[in-house]
Amino acid sequence: MRRLLLFSLLFSTPALAASMAGVTMSDSTSISGAPLVLNGLGLREKYFIDVYVAGLYLPAATTDAEVAMDPAKPKLLEFEFLLDISAEQLGDSMREWLDADPEAAKHTDTIIGWMPDVKKGDRMVMRYEPGVGTSIAVKGVDKGTIPGTAVMTALFDIYLGDKPPTEALKKGLLGL
C-alpha cells in the first residue's frame, strides 16, 4: 500500500495552467462545488493592441458553441486585462451587446454600474449557475447577480455567438 501511494505521488500530474500573452489561468475551477475545466483561452485584440485574455470554463470541454451556451450547465468566463480601461469604456462596450437583447437590456444600467476602472493585471469573472443566474466579479469583488438566463445568453453570446469581437477570440475560447 505504501509503495502504491509513493508511486502515485511521484507520478501524478499536478494541476496545470494554461498561458497566453503572459497571462496564466488555471486548468480548472468550480461554481458551487461543480467542477469546471478550462475549455480554451482567447486573446482580444483591437487595432493590433492586446486588450485582454479570456478563459472559458465548462463542465466538459467542447468545440461546439451551442453546447457551451447550454443554459442547463454552469459556465464561467474569466478575463485578465492587458491594459488600463475606464469604467466608461467597459460600460459602452457592454451596453452595445446587452441592449441587443430586449430581456438582457432591462439589466444594462445595473451591470454597467458595477463596472469600475480596470488596470493592467486586473481580472473580471462572469459566471453562470443554473437556477441562480449570472454573477459578475471585478478585481475579486462580487458585484451582484442577475437571475435567469437572459443576461448569460447575452454576455456569453458576445464571445461565442455569430458576431464575436474577433473570430480568433471565439476559436481560442472553443479550443479550436
Side-chain angles (χ1 to χ4, degrees), residues 20 38-43 54-56 160 166-176:
M20 175 180 274
L38 181 62
N39 195 73
L41 290 177
L43 175 65
L56 173 64
L160 304 175
T166 68
E167 280 298 318
L169 175 60
K170 178 179 176 178
K171 286 180 178 181
L173 292 172
L174 290 173
L176 297 171

Side-chain angles (χ1 to χ4, degrees), residues 43-46 49-53 80-83 85:
L43 175 65
R44 171 64 165 117
E45 295 177 302
K46 190 170 184 175
I49 298 170
D50 294 347
V51 180
Y52 56 76
V53 171
E80 182 169 317
F81 294 94
L82 301 173
L83 48 79
I85 301 175

Side-chain angles (χ1 to χ4, degrees), residues 29-36 73-76 125 127-133 135 142 145:
T29 189
S30 65
I31 294 178
S32 297
L36 303 176
K73 296 187 175 145
K75 57 192 89 321
L76 182 144
V125 174
R127 65 184 175 275
Y128 170 74
E129 185 175 358
V132 175
S135 302
D142 286 327
T145 301

Side-chain angles (χ1 to χ4, degrees), residues 3-171:
R3 285 184 187 180
L4 180 61
L5 178 61
L6 180 59
F7 181 81
S8 65
L9 288 173
L10 287 174
F11 295 100
S12 64
T13 306
L16 302 174
S19 296
M20 175 180 274
V23 173
T24 301
M25 292 195 181
S26 174
D27 278 344
S28 63
T29 189
S30 65
I31 294 178
S32 297
L36 303 176
V37 297
L38 181 62
N39 195 73
L41 290 177
L43 175 65
R44 171 64 165 117
E45 295 177 302
K46 190 170 184 175
Y47 307 118
F48 305 105
I49 298 170
D50 294 347
V51 180
Y52 56 76
V53 171
L56 173 64
Y57 293 86
L58 301 169
T62 184
T63 58
D64 185 330
E66 286 186 37
V67 171
M69 292 284 294
D70 182 353
K73 296 187 175 145
K75 57 192 89 321
L76 182 144
L77 274 166
E78 183 169 7
F79 305 85
E80 182 169 317
F81 294 94
L82 301 173
L83 48 79
D84 298 354
I85 301 175
S86 71
E88 183 179 357
Q89 289 170 310
L90 277 176
D92 288 347
S93 176
M94 294 190 117
R95 180 176 301 284
E96 174 185 347
W97 296 97
L98 290 168
D99 283 352
D101 179 310
E103 244 346 94
K106 296 175 185 176
H107 306 287
T108 300
D109 290 336
T110 299
I111 293 169
I112 288 172
W114 294 342
M115 297 297 113
D117 293 338
V118 293
K119 304 284 184 201
K120 180 180 179 178
D122 286 345
R123 291 202 177 197
M124 178 170 62
V125 174
M126 297 177 191
R127 65 184 175 275
Y128 170 74
E129 185 175 358
V132 175
T134 304
S135 302
I136 297 176
V138 185
K139 299 191 258 187
V141 176
D142 286 327
K143 297 297 186 172
T145 301
I146 305 290
T149 61
V151 170
M152 178 280 293
T153 301
L155 290 175
F156 281 76
D157 190 61
I158 293 169
Y159 307 98
L160 304 175
D162 294 333
K163 297 178 183 178
T166 68
E167 280 298 318
L169 175 60
K170 178 179 176 178
K171 286 180 178 181

